[in-house]
Amino acid sequence: MAILRAAILAKQILRHSVTFSYKEASTSTDVPKGFLAVYVGESQKKRFLVPVSYLRQPSFQALLSKAEDEFGFDHPMGGLTIPCSEETFLDVTSQLKRL
């Protein structure tokens, strides 16, 4: 059930956060199939590509819940923004890489 909730949440966030024009979208198609672009950081945001398989992991779902609590479906960067420190994000994703 949690996997389904995370997938639905990610789709809703991405669907509602597309605020850029078609021209901008067509030039930013550098996300490979099977990956998701996210913006991470508290003050200055950095873009990361993460495998969509992370959406099933409880630790990544916790980050998505934090994003939902802070931004709802209105992400200031025009994409999925995760409001945590870069260090926290890297800790979580490095643990997921070991799985």
Side-chain angles (χ1 to χ4, degrees):
M1 191 68 173
I3 295 170
L4 179 61
R5 183 180 182 276
I8 291 170
L9 175 63
K11 285 180 184 177
Q12 287 175 333
I13 289 171
L14 290 173
R15 188 177 302 124
H16 287 88
S17 65
V18 178
T19 58
F20 44 85
S21 70
Y22 177 76
K23 184 175 182 180
E24 290 170 329
S26 67
T27 60
S28 60
T29 58
D30 57 343
V31 179
K33 185 176 182 176
F35 285 82
L36 173 70
V38 297
Y39 295 91
V40 177
E42 293 168 328
S43 57
Q44 190 169 9
K45 308 292 188 232
K46 185 172 179 182
R47 186 173 186 249
F48 291 91
L49 297 178
V50 295
V52 294
S53 62
Y54 286 8
L55 296 174
R56 289 180 263 154
Q57 303 302 321
S59 56
F60 198 80
Q61 290 174 12
L63 294 177
L64 291 175
S65 291
K66 187 174 181 179
E68 178 185 25
D69 291 343
E70 183 153 334
F71 301 115
F73 298 119
D74 182 30
H75 288 263
M77 296 294 294
L80 180 57
T81 305
I82 298 178
C84 68
S85 69
E86 189 176 328
E87 182 179 334
T88 299
F89 180 79
L90 292 174
D91 286 344
V92 168
T93 55
S94 67
Q95 291 172 7
L96 294 175
K97 286 179 187 175
R98 291 186 222 142
L99 296 178

Coordinates of all heavy atoms in Angstrom, one line a residue:
M1 N 0.8 -1.2 0.0 CA 0.0 0.0 0.0 C 0.9 1.3 0.0 O 0.5 2.2 -0.7 CB -0.9 -0.1 1.2 CG -2.0 1.0 1.2 SD -3.1 0.6 -0.1 CE -4.4 1.8 0.2
A2 N 2.0 1.2 0.8 CA 2.9 2.4 0.8 C 3.5 2.6 -0.5 O 3.8 3.8 -0.9 CB 3.9 2.2 1.9
I3 N 3.8 1.5 -1.3 CA 4.4 1.7 -2.6 C 3.5 2.4 -3.5 O 3.9 3.3 -4.2 CB 4.8 0.3 -3.2 CG1 5.9 -0.3 -2.3 CG2 5.3 0.4 -4.6 CD1 6.2 -1.8 -2.6
L4 N 2.2 2.0 -3.5 CA 1.2 2.6 -4.4 C 1.1 4.1 -4.0 O 1.0 4.9 -4.9 CB -0.1 1.9 -4.2 CG -1.3 2.4 -5.1 CD1 -0.9 2.4 -6.6 CD2 -2.5 1.6 -4.8
R5 N 1.0 4.4 -2.7 CA 0.9 5.8 -2.2 C 2.0 6.6 -2.7 O 1.8 7.7 -3.2 CB 0.7 5.8 -0.7 CG 0.5 7.2 -0.2 CD 0.4 7.2 1.3 NE 0.1 8.6 1.8 CZ 1.0 9.5 2.0 NH1 2.3 9.2 1.8 NH2 0.7 10.7 2.5
A6 N 3.2 6.1 -2.6 CA 4.4 6.9 -3.0 C 4.4 7.1 -4.5 O 4.7 8.2 -5.0 CB 5.7 6.1 -2.6
A7 N 4.0 6.1 -5.3 CA 4.0 6.3 -6.7 C 2.9 7.3 -7.1 O 3.1 8.2 -8.0 CB 3.7 5.0 -7.4
I8 N 1.7 7.2 -6.5 CA 0.7 8.2 -6.8 C 1.1 9.6 -6.3 O 0.9 10.6 -7.1 CB -0.6 7.8 -6.0 CG1 -1.2 6.5 -6.7 CG2 -1.7 8.9 -6.1 CD1 -2.3 5.9 -5.9
L9 N 1.7 9.7 -5.2 CA 2.2 11.0 -4.7 C 3.2 11.6 -5.6 O 3.1 12.8 -6.0 CB 2.8 10.9 -3.3 CG 3.4 12.1 -2.7 CD1 2.4 13.2 -2.5 CD2 4.1 11.8 -1.4
A10 N 4.2 10.8 -6.1 CA 5.2 11.4 -7.0 C 4.5 11.8 -8.3 O 4.9 12.9 -8.9 CB 6.2 10.3 -7.3
K11 N 3.6 11.0 -8.9 CA 2.9 11.4 -10.1 C 2.1 12.7 -9.9 O 2.1 13.6 -10.8 CB 2.0 10.3 -10.6 CG 2.7 9.1 -11.2 CD 1.7 8.1 -11.6 CE 2.4 6.8 -12.1 NZ 1.5 5.8 -12.5
Q12 N 1.4 12.8 -8.8 CA 0.6 14.0 -8.5 C 1.5 15.2 -8.4 O 1.3 16.3 -9.0 CB -0.2 13.9 -7.3 CG -1.4 13.0 -7.4 CD -2.1 12.7 -6.1 OE1 -1.5 12.8 -5.0 NE2 -3.4 12.4 -6.2
I13 N 2.6 15.1 -7.7 CA 3.6 16.2 -7.5 C 4.1 16.6 -8.9 O 4.2 17.8 -9.2 CB 4.7 15.9 -6.6 CG1 4.2 15.8 -5.1 CG2 5.8 16.9 -6.6 CD1 5.1 15.2 -4.1
L14 N 4.6 15.7 -9.7 CA 5.1 16.0 -11.0 C 4.1 16.6 -11.9 O 4.4 17.5 -12.6 CB 5.8 14.8 -11.6 CG 7.0 14.3 -10.9 CD1 7.5 13.0 -11.5 CD2 8.1 15.3 -11.0
R15 N 2.9 16.1 -11.9 CA 1.8 16.6 -12.8 C 1.5 18.0 -12.4 O 1.3 18.8 -13.3 CB 0.6 15.7 -12.7 CG -0.5 16.0 -13.7 CD -1.7 15.1 -13.6 NE -1.3 13.7 -13.8 CZ -1.5 12.7 -12.9 NH1 -2.2 12.9 -11.8 NH2 -1.1 11.5 -13.1
H16 N 1.4 18.3 -11.1 CA 1.0 19.6 -10.7 C 2.1 20.6 -10.7 O 1.9 21.8 -10.6 CB 0.4 19.6 -9.3 CG -1.0 19.0 -9.3 ND1 -1.2 17.6 -9.2 CD2 -2.2 19.5 -9.5 CE1 -2.4 17.4 -9.2 NE2 -3.1 18.5 -9.4
S17 N 3.4 20.2 -10.8 CA 4.5 21.1 -10.7 C 5.1 21.5 -12.0 O 6.0 22.3 -12.1 CB 5.6 20.4 -9.9 OG 6.1 19.3 -10.6
V18 N 4.5 21.1 -13.1 CA 5.0 21.5 -14.4 C 4.5 22.9 -14.7 O 3.3 23.1 -15.1 CB 4.5 20.5 -15.5 CG1 5.0 20.9 -16.9 CG2 5.0 19.1 -15.2
T19 N 5.4 23.9 -14.5 CA 5.0 25.3 -14.7 C 5.8 26.0 -15.8 O 5.7 27.2 -16.0 CB 5.2 26.0 -13.4 OG1 6.5 25.9 -13.0 CG2 4.3 25.5 -12.3
F20 N 6.6 25.2 -16.5 CA 7.4 25.8 -17.5 C 6.8 25.7 -18.9 O 5.9 24.9 -19.1 CB 8.9 25.3 -17.5 CG 8.9 23.8 -17.4 CD1 8.8 23.0 -18.5 CD2 9.1 23.2 -16.2 CE1 8.8 21.6 -18.4 CE2 9.1 21.8 -16.0 CZ 9.0 21.0 -17.2
S21 N 7.2 26.4 -19.9 CA 6.6 26.4 -21.2 C 7.1 25.2 -22.0 O 8.1 24.5 -21.6 CB 7.0 27.7 -21.9 OG 8.4 27.6 -22.3
Y22 N 6.4 24.9 -23.1 CA 6.8 23.8 -23.9 C 8.2 23.9 -24.4 O 9.0 22.9 -24.4 CB 5.8 23.6 -25.1 CG 6.2 22.5 -26.0 CD1 5.9 21.2 -25.7 CD2 6.8 22.8 -27.2 CE1 6.3 20.2 -26.5 CE2 7.2 21.8 -28.1 CZ 6.9 20.5 -27.7 OH 7.3 19.5 -28.6
K23 N 8.6 25.1 -24.8 CA 10.0 25.3 -25.3 C 11.0 24.9 -24.2 O 12.0 24.2 -24.5 CB 10.2 26.7 -25.8 CG 11.5 27.0 -26.4 CD 11.7 28.3 -26.9 CE 13.0 28.5 -27.6 NZ 13.2 29.8 -28.2
E24 N 10.8 25.4 -23.0 CA 11.7 25.0 -21.9 C 11.7 23.5 -21.7 O 12.7 22.9 -21.5 CB 11.3 25.7 -20.6 CG 11.6 27.2 -20.7 CD 11.0 28.0 -19.5 OE1 10.0 27.5 -19.0 OE2 11.6 29.0 -19.2
A25 N 10.5 22.9 -21.7 CA 10.4 21.5 -21.5 C 11.2 20.7 -22.5 O 11.8 19.7 -22.2 CB 8.9 21.0 -21.5
S26 N 11.1 21.1 -23.8 CA 11.7 20.4 -24.9 C 13.2 20.4 -24.8 O 13.9 19.6 -25.3 CB 11.2 20.9 -26.2 OG 11.7 22.2 -26.4
T27 N 13.8 21.4 -24.1 CA 15.3 21.5 -24.0 C 15.8 20.9 -22.7 O 17.0 20.7 -22.6 CB 15.7 23.0 -24.0 OG1 15.1 23.7 -22.9 CG2 15.4 23.7 -25.3
S28 N 14.9 20.5 -21.8 CA 15.3 19.8 -20.6 C 14.9 18.4 -20.5 O 14.4 17.9 -19.6 CB 14.8 20.6 -19.4 OG 13.4 20.6 -19.4
T29 N 15.1 17.7 -21.6 CA 14.8 16.3 -21.7 C 16.0 15.4 -21.4 O 16.1 14.3 -22.0 CB 14.2 15.9 -23.1 OG1 15.1 16.3 -24.1 CG2 12.9 16.6 -23.3
D30 N 16.8 15.8 -20.5 CA 18.0 15.1 -20.3 C 17.9 14.1 -19.1 O 18.8 13.7 -18.5 CB 19.2 16.0 -20.0 CG 18.9 17.0 -18.8 OD1 17.7 17.1 -18.5 OD2 19.8 17.6 -18.3
V31 N 16.6 13.7 -18.8 CA 16.4 12.7 -17.7 C 16.2 11.4 -18.4 O 15.3 11.1 -19.2 CB 15.2 13.1 -16.9 CG1 14.9 12.0 -15.8 CG2 15.3 14.4 -16.3
P32 N 17.2 10.4 -18.2 CA 17.1 9.1 -18.9 C 15.8 8.3 -18.4 O 15.4 8.5 -17.2 CB 18.4 8.4 -18.4 CG 19.2 9.4 -17.7 CD 18.3 10.6 -17.4
K33 N 15.4 7.4 -19.2 CA 14.3 6.6 -18.8 C 14.6 5.8 -17.6 O 15.7 5.3 -17.4 CB 14.0 5.6 -20.0 CG 12.7 4.8 -19.8 CD 12.4 3.9 -21.0 CE 11.2 3.1 -20.7 NZ 10.8 2.4 -21.9
G34 N 13.7 5.8 -16.7 CA 13.9 5.0 -15.4 C 14.4 5.9 -14.3 O 14.7 5.4 -13.2
F35 N 14.6 7.2 -14.6 CA 15.1 8.1 -13.6 C 14.1 9.3 -13.3 O 13.2 9.5 -14.2 CB 16.4 8.7 -14.0 CG 17.6 7.7 -13.8 CD1 17.8 6.8 -14.8 CD2 18.4 7.7 -12.7 CE1 18.8 5.8 -14.7 CE2 19.4 6.8 -12.6 CZ 19.6 5.9 -13.5
L36 N 14.3 10.0 -12.2 CA 13.4 11.1 -11.8 C 14.4 12.2 -11.4 O 15.3 12.0 -10.7 CB 12.6 10.6 -10.7 CG 11.7 11.7 -10.0 CD1 10.6 12.1 -10.9 CD2 11.2 11.0 -8.7
A37 N 14.1 13.4 -11.9 CA 14.9 14.6 -11.5 C 14.2 15.2 -10.3 O 13.0 15.4 -10.2 CB 14.9 15.6 -12.6
V38 N 15.0 15.5 -9.3 CA 14.6 16.2 -8.1 C 15.5 17.3 -7.7 O 16.7 17.3 -8.1 CB 14.5 15.2 -6.9 CG1 13.4 14.1 -7.1 CG2 15.8 14.6 -6.5
Y39 N 15.0 18.3 -7.1 CA 15.8 19.4 -6.6 C 15.9 19.3 -5.1 O 14.9 19.1 -4.4 CB 15.1 20.8 -7.0 CG 15.1 21.0 -8.5 CD1 14.0 20.6 -9.2 CD2 16.2 21.5 -9.1 CE1 14.0 20.7 -10.6 CE2 16.2 21.7 -10.5 CZ 15.1 21.3 -11.2 OH 15.1 21.5 -12.6
V40 N 17.1 19.4 -4.6 CA 17.3 19.2 -3.1 C 18.1 20.4 -2.6 O 19.0 20.9 -3.2 CB 18.1 17.9 -2.9 CG1 18.5 17.7 -1.5 CG2 17.4 16.7 -3.5
G41 N 17.8 20.7 -1.4 CA 18.5 21.8 -0.7 C 17.6 22.6 0.1 O 16.4 22.7 -0.1
E42 N 18.1 23.3 1.1 CA 17.3 24.2 2.0 C 17.3 25.6 1.5 O 16.2 26.2 1.4 CB 17.8 24.1 3.4 CG 17.6 22.7 4.0 CD 18.3 22.4 5.3 OE1 19.4 22.9 5.5 OE2 17.8 21.6 6.1
S43 N 18.4 26.1 1.1 CA 18.4 27.5 0.6 C 18.7 27.5 -0.9 O 18.0 28.0 -1.7 CB 19.4 28.4 1.3 OG 20.7 27.8 1.3
Q44 N 19.8 26.9 -1.3 CA 20.2 26.8 -2.7 C 19.9 25.3 -3.1 O 20.3 24.4 -2.5 CB 21.7 27.1 -2.9 CG 22.1 27.2 -4.3 CD 23.5 27.8 -4.5 OE1 24.2 28.0 -3.5 NE2 23.8 28.2 -5.7
K45 N 19.2 25.2 -4.2 CA 18.7 23.9 -4.7 C 19.7 23.3 -5.7 O 20.2 24.0 -6.6 CB 17.3 24.0 -5.3 CG 16.3 24.7 -4.5 CD 15.9 23.8 -3.3 CE 14.7 24.5 -2.6 NZ 14.9 24.7 -1.2
K46 N 19.9 22.0 -5.6 CA 20.8 21.3 -6.5 C 19.9 20.2 -7.2 O 19.2 19.5 -6.5 CB 22.0 20.7 -5.8 CG 23.0 20.1 -6.7 CD 24.3 19.7 -6.0 CE 25.2 19.0 -6.9 NZ 26.4 18.6 -6.2
R47 N 20.1 20.0 -8.5 CA 19.3 18.9 -9.2 C 20.1 17.6 -9.1 O 21.3 17.5 -9.4 CB 19.2 19.4 -10.6 CG 18.3 18.5 -11.5 CD 18.1 19.2 -12.8 NE 17.1 18.5 -13.6 CZ 17.5 17.9 -14.7 NH1 18.7 17.8 -15.2 NH2 16.5 17.2 -15.4
F48 N 19.3 16.5 -8.8 CA 19.8 15.2 -8.8 C 18.9 14.3 -9.7 O 17.7 14.5 -9.7 CB 19.8 14.6 -7.4 CG 20.8 15.3 -6.5 CD1 20.5 16.3 -5.7 CD2 22.1 14.7 -6.4 CE1 21.4 16.9 -4.9 CE2 23.0 15.3 -5.5 CZ 22.7 16.4 -4.8
L49 N 19.5 13.3 -10.2 CA 18.7 12.2 -10.9 C 18.7 11.0 -10.1 O 19.8 10.5 -9.7 CB 19.3 11.9 -12.3 CG 19.3 13.1 -13.3 CD1 20.0 12.6 -14.6 CD2 17.9 13.6 -13.6
V50 N 17.5 10.5 -9.8 CA 17.4 9.3 -8.9 C 16.6 8.2 -9.7 O 15.7 8.5 -10.4 CB 16.8 9.6 -7.6 CG1 17.6 10.5 -6.7 CG2 15.4 10.1 -7.7
P51 N 17.0 7.0 -9.5 CA 16.2 5.9 -10.1 C 14.8 5.8 -9.6 O 14.5 6.1 -8.4 CB 16.9 4.6 -9.7 CG 18.3 5.1 -9.2 CD 18.1 6.5 -8.7
V52 N 13.8 5.6 -10.4 CA 12.4 5.5 -10.0 C 12.2 4.4 -9.0 O 11.2 4.4 -8.2 CB 11.4 5.4 -11.2 CG1 11.4 6.7 -12.0 CG2 11.7 4.2 -12.0
S53 N 13.1 3.4 -9.0 CA 13.0 2.3 -8.0 C 13.0 2.8 -6.6 O 12.5 2.1 -5.7 CB 14.0 1.2 -8.3 OG 15.3 1.8 -8.1
Y54 N 13.6 4.0 -6.4 CA 13.7 4.5 -5.0 C 12.3 4.9 -4.5 O 12.2 5.0 -3.3 CB 14.6 5.8 -5.0 CG 16.1 5.6 -5.1 CD1 16.6 4.3 -5.4 CD2 16.9 6.6 -5.0 CE1 18.0 4.1 -5.5 CE2 18.3 6.4 -5.1 CZ 18.8 5.2 -5.4 OH 20.2 5.0 -5.5
L55 N 11.4 5.1 -5.3 CA 10.0 5.4 -4.9 C 9.4 4.4 -4.0 O 8.5 4.7 -3.2 CB 9.1 5.7 -6.1 CG 9.5 6.9 -7.0 CD1 8.6 6.9 -8.2 CD2 9.4 8.2 -6.2
R56 N 9.9 3.2 -4.1 CA 9.4 2.0 -3.3 C 10.0 2.0 -1.9 O 9.5 1.2 -1.1 CB 9.6 0.7 -4.0 CG 8.7 0.5 -5.2 CD 9.0 -0.8 -5.9 NE 9.9 -0.5 -7.0 CZ 10.8 -1.3 -7.5 NH1 10.9 -2.5 -7.0 NH2 11.6 -1.0 -8.5
Q57 N 11.1 2.7 -1.7 CA 11.8 2.6 -0.4 C 11.2 3.5 0.6 O 11.0 4.7 0.4 CB 13.3 2.9 -0.7 CG 13.9 2.0 -1.7 CD 13.9 0.6 -1.4 OE1 14.0 0.2 -0.2 NE2 13.6 -0.3 -2.4
P58 N 11.0 3.0 1.8 CA 10.5 3.8 2.9 C 11.3 5.1 3.2 O 10.7 6.1 3.5 CB 10.5 2.8 4.1 CG 10.4 1.5 3.5 CD 11.2 1.6 2.2
S59 N 12.6 5.0 3.2 CA 13.4 6.2 3.5 C 13.2 7.3 2.4 O 13.1 8.5 2.8 CB 14.8 5.8 3.6 OG 15.3 5.2 2.4
F60 N 13.0 6.9 1.2 CA 12.7 7.9 0.1 C 11.3 8.4 0.2 O 11.0 9.6 0.0 CB 13.0 7.3 -1.3 CG 13.2 8.4 -2.3 CD1 14.4 9.1 -2.4 CD2 12.2 8.7 -3.2 CE1 14.6 10.1 -3.4 CE2 12.4 9.7 -4.1 CZ 13.6 10.4 -4.2
Q61 N 10.4 7.5 0.6 CA 9.0 7.9 0.8 C 8.9 8.9 1.9 O 8.0 9.9 1.8 CB 8.1 6.7 1.1 CG 7.9 5.8 -0.1 CD 7.2 4.5 0.3 OE1 6.6 4.4 1.3 NE2 7.2 3.5 -0.6
A62 N 9.7 8.8 2.9 CA 9.7 9.8 4.0 C 10.1 11.2 3.4 O 9.5 12.2 3.8 CB 10.7 9.4 5.1
L63 N 11.1 11.2 2.5 CA 11.5 12.5 1.9 C 10.3 13.1 1.0 O 10.1 14.3 1.0 CB 12.7 12.3 1.0 CG 14.0 12.0 1.7 CD1 15.1 11.7 0.7 CD2 14.4 13.0 2.7
L64 N 9.6 12.2 0.3 CA 8.5 12.6 -0.5 C 7.4 13.2 0.4 O 6.7 14.2 0.1 CB 7.9 11.5 -1.3 CG 8.8 11.0 -2.5 CD1 8.2 9.8 -3.1 CD2 9.0 12.1 -3.5
S65 N 7.1 12.6 1.6 CA 6.1 13.1 2.5 C 6.5 14.4 3.0 O 5.7 15.3 3.2 CB 5.9 12.1 3.7 OG 5.3 10.9 3.2
K66 N 7.8 14.6 3.3 CA 8.3 15.9 3.7 C 8.0 17.0 2.7 O 7.6 18.1 3.0 CB 9.8 15.9 4.1 CG 10.3 17.1 4.7 CD 11.8 16.9 5.2 CE 12.3 18.1 5.8 NZ 13.7 18.0 6.3
A67 N 8.3 16.6 1.4 CA 8.0 17.6 0.3 C 6.5 17.9 0.2 O 6.1 19.0 0.0 CB 8.5 17.0 -1.0
E68 N 5.7 16.9 0.4 CA 4.2 17.1 0.3 C 3.8 18.0 1.5 O 3.0 18.9 1.3 CB 3.5 15.8 0.4 CG 2.0 15.9 0.4 CD 1.2 14.6 0.6 OE1 1.8 13.7 1.2 OE2 0.1 14.5 0.2
D69 N 4.3 17.8 2.7 CA 4.0 18.6 3.8 C 4.4 20.1 3.6 O 3.6 21.0 4.0 CB 4.6 18.1 5.1 CG 4.1 16.8 5.5 OD1 2.9 16.4 5.1 OD2 4.7 16.1 6.4
E70 N 5.5 20.3 3.0 CA 6.0 21.7 2.9 C 5.5 22.4 1.7 O 5.1 23.6 1.8 CB 7.6 21.7 2.8 CG 8.1 23.1 2.7 CD 9.5 23.2 3.3 OE1 9.9 22.4 4.1 OE2 10.2 24.1 2.8
F71 N 5.4 21.7 0.5 CA 5.0 22.4 -0.7 C 3.6 22.0 -1.2 O 3.1 22.7 -2.1 CB 6.0 22.1 -1.8 CG 7.4 22.5 -1.5 CD1 8.4 21.6 -1.4 CD2 7.7 23.9 -1.3 CE1 9.7 22.0 -1.1 CE2 9.0 24.3 -1.0 CZ 10.0 23.4 -0.9
G72 N 3.0 20.9 -0.8 CA 1.8 20.4 -1.4 C 2.2 20.0 -2.8 O 3.1 19.3 -3.0
F73 N 1.4 20.5 -3.8 CA 1.7 20.2 -5.2 C 2.2 21.5 -5.9 O 2.3 21.5 -7.1 CB 0.5 19.7 -5.9 CG 0.0 18.4 -5.2 CD1 -1.2 18.3 -4.7 CD2 0.8 17.3 -5.2 CE1 -1.6 17.1 -4.1 CE2 0.4 16.1 -4.6 CZ -0.8 16.0 -4.1
D74 N 2.7 22.5 -5.2 CA 3.2 23.7 -5.8 C 4.6 23.8 -5.5 O 5.0 24.4 -4.5 CB 2.4 24.9 -5.3 CG 2.8 26.2 -5.9 OD1 3.3 26.2 -7.1 OD2 2.8 27.2 -5.2
H75 N 5.5 23.3 -6.3 CA 6.9 23.3 -6.1 C 7.5 24.5 -6.8 O 7.4 24.7 -8.0 CB 7.5 22.0 -6.6 CG 7.2 20.8 -5.8 ND1 8.0 20.3 -4.8 CD2 6.1 20.0 -5.7 CE1 7.4 19.3 -4.2 NE2 6.3 19.1 -4.7
P76 N 8.3 25.3 -6.0 CA 8.9 26.5 -6.5 C 9.9 26.4 -7.7 O 10.0 27.3 -8.5 CB 9.5 27.2 -5.3 CG 9.7 26.0 -4.4 CD 8.7 25.0 -4.6
M77 N 10.5 25.2 -7.8 CA 11.5 25.0 -8.8 C 10.9 24.5 -10.1 O 11.6 24.3 -11.1 CB 12.6 24.0 -8.3 CG 13.4 24.4 -7.1 SD 14.4 25.8 -7.5 CE 15.6 25.1 -8.7
G78 N 9.6 24.3 -10.1 CA 8.9 23.7 -11.3 C 9.1 22.2 -11.5 O 8.7 21.7 -12.5
G79 N 9.7 21.6 -10.5 CA 9.9 20.2 -10.5 C 9.8 19.7 -9.0 O 9.5 20.5 -8.1
L80 N 10.0 18.4 -8.8 CA 9.9 17.9 -7.5 C 11.0 18.4 -6.6 O 12.2 18.2 -6.9 CB 10.0 16.3 -7.6 CG 9.9 15.6 -6.3 CD1 8.6 15.9 -5.5 CD2 10.0 14.1 -6.5
T81 N 10.7 19.1 -5.6 CA 11.6 19.7 -4.7 C 11.6 19.0 -3.3 O 10.5 19.0 -2.8 CB 11.4 21.2 -4.5 OG1 11.3 21.9 -5.8 CG2 12.4 21.9 -3.7
I82 N 12.7 18.6 -2.9 CA 12.7 17.9 -1.6 C 13.4 18.8 -0.6 O 14.6 19.2 -0.7 CB 13.5 16.5 -1.7 CG1 12.7 15.6 -2.6 CG2 13.6 15.9 -0.3 CD1 13.3 14.3 -2.9
P83 N 12.7 19.3 0.5 CA 13.2 20.2 1.4 C 14.0 19.6 2.5 O 13.6 19.5 3.7 CB 11.9 20.9 1.9 CG 10.9 19.8 1.9 CD 11.3 18.9 0.7
C84 N 15.2 19.2 2.2 CA 16.1 18.7 3.2 C 17.5 19.1 2.8 O 17.7 19.6 1.7 CB 16.0 17.2 3.3 SG 16.6 16.2 1.9
S85 N 18.5 18.9 3.7 CA 19.8 19.3 3.3 C 20.4 18.3 2.3 O 19.9 17.2 2.2 CB 20.7 19.3 4.6 OG 20.9 17.9 5.0
E86 N 21.3 18.8 1.5 CA 21.9 18.0 0.5 C 22.6 16.8 1.2 O 22.6 15.6 0.6 CB 23.0 18.8 -0.3 CG 23.5 18.1 -1.5 CD 24.5 19.0 -2.3 OE1 24.3 20.2 -2.3 OE2 25.4 18.4 -2.9
E87 N 23.2 17.0 2.3 CA 23.9 15.9 3.1 C 22.9 14.8 3.5 O 23.2 13.6 3.3 CB 24.5 16.5 4.3 CG 25.3 15.5 5.1 CD 25.9 16.1 6.3 OE1 26.2 17.3 6.3 OE2 26.1 15.3 7.3
T88 N 21.7 15.2 3.9 CA 20.7 14.2 4.3 C 20.2 13.4 3.1 O 20.1 12.2 3.1 CB 19.5 14.9 4.9 OG1 19.9 15.6 6.1 CG2 18.3 13.9 5.3
F89 N 20.0 14.1 2.0 CA 19.6 13.4 0.7 C 20.6 12.4 0.3 O 20.3 11.3 -0.1 CB 19.3 14.5 -0.3 CG 18.9 13.9 -1.6 CD1 17.6 13.5 -1.8 CD2 19.8 13.7 -2.7 CE1 17.2 12.9 -3.1 CE2 19.4 13.2 -3.9 CZ 18.1 12.8 -4.1
L90 N 21.9 12.9 0.3 CA 23.0 12.0 -0.1 C 23.1 10.8 0.8 O 23.4 9.6 0.4 CB 24.3 12.7 -0.2 CG 24.3 13.8 -1.3 CD1 25.6 14.6 -1.2 CD2 24.2 13.1 -2.7
D91 N 22.9 11.0 2.1 CA 22.9 9.8 3.1 C 21.8 8.8 2.7 O 22.1 7.6 2.7 CB 22.7 10.3 4.5 CG 23.9 11.0 5.1 OD1 25.1 10.9 4.5 OD2 23.8 11.7 6.1
V92 N 20.6 9.3 2.5 CA 19.5 8.4 2.2 C 19.8 7.7 0.9 O 19.6 6.4 0.8 CB 18.2 9.2 2.1 CG1 17.0 8.3 1.5 CG2 17.8 9.7 3.5
T93 N 20.2 8.4 -0.2 CA 20.4 7.7 -1.5 C 21.6 6.8 -1.5 O 21.6 5.8 -2.2 CB 20.5 8.8 -2.6 OG1 21.5 9.7 -2.3 CG2 19.2 9.5 -2.8
S94 N 22.6 7.1 -0.7 CA 23.8 6.2 -0.6 C 23.4 4.9 0.1 O 23.9 3.8 -0.3 CB 25.0 6.9 0.0 OG 24.7 7.1 1.4
Q95 N 22.5 5.0 1.0 CA 22.0 3.8 1.7 C 21.2 2.9 0.7 O 21.2 1.7 0.7 CB 21.2 4.1 2.9 CG 22.0 4.7 4.1 CD 21.1 5.2 5.2 OE1 19.9 5.0 5.2 NE2 21.8 5.8 6.2
L96 N 20.4 3.6 -0.1 CA 19.5 2.9 -1.1 C 20.4 2.3 -2.2 O 20.0 1.2 -2.7 CB 18.5 3.9 -1.7 CG 17.5 4.4 -0.7 CD1 16.6 5.5 -1.4 CD2 16.6 3.3 -0.2
K97 N 21.5 2.8 -2.5 CA 22.4 2.3 -3.6 C 22.9 0.9 -3.1 O 23.2 0.0 -3.9 CB 23.5 3.2 -3.9 CG 23.2 4.4 -4.7 CD 24.4 5.2 -4.9 CE 24.0 6.5 -5.6 NZ 25.1 7.4 -5.7
R98 N 23.0 0.7 -1.8 CA 23.6 -0.5 -1.3 C 22.6 -1.7 -1.3 O 22.9 -2.8 -1.1 CB 24.1 -0.3 0.2 CG 25.3 0.6 0.2 CD 25.9 0.7 1.6 NE 26.2 2.0 1.8 CZ 26.1 2.7 2.9 NH1 25.5 2.1 4.0 NH2 26.4 4.0 3.0
L99 N 21.3 -1.3 -1.4 CA 20.3 -2.4 -1.4 C 20.2 -3.2 -2.7 O 20.6 -2.9 -3.7 CB 18.9 -1.8 -1.2 CG 18.7 -1.1 0.1 CD1 17.3 -0.4 0.2 CD2 18.9 -2.0 1.3

